[in-house]
Amino acid sequence: MDAWLPRFHAALRAEDAAIFTADHGCDPTTPGTDHTREYVPLLVFGPKVRAVNLGLRGSLSDIGQTVAANFGAGIDYGASFLKEIV
């Protein structure tokens, strides 16, 4: 990942944004990798993406709402953070 990410970033076009997250969190204090109540990471980057702290989001649906807003659409759930990052 460390070697790949700079090449990926360099390939992004001016209007692109990349979103990295996970499908579940894992409690680091318990053994195993079962789904737990922990939060998931959220990293958004690209040539025009501002470095901001998105804080704790209300739902994973916020990502879907942000992608939809980027294309001038909306979905039933989530709160877009598009205006915070561009």
Side-chain angles (χ1 to χ4, degrees):
M1 183 72 169
D2 290 342
W4 172 82
L5 193 57
R7 292 191 312 269
F8 176 78
H9 187 261
L12 293 176
R13 296 170 301 185
E15 68 276 8
D16 289 342
I19 299 174
F20 287 87
T21 191
D23 67 338
H24 65 87
C26 290
D27 183 344
T29 65
T30 61
T33 58
D34 292 340
H35 295 202
T36 65
R37 63 179 180 10
E38 300 302 310
Y39 298 111
V40 298
L42 173 60
L43 172 66
V44 185
F45 70 96
K48 293 185 179 178
V49 174
R50 287 192 305 252
V52 297
N53 182 345
L54 293 171
L56 295 177
R57 305 302 307 179
S59 169
L60 191 60
S61 297
D62 291 359
I63 296 170
Q65 192 66 261
T66 301
V67 171
N70 185 62
F71 292 103
I75 60 174
D76 290 340
Y77 302 101
S80 173
F81 51 83
L82 185 63
K83 291 181 180 179
E84 296 171 61
I85 62 171
V86 295

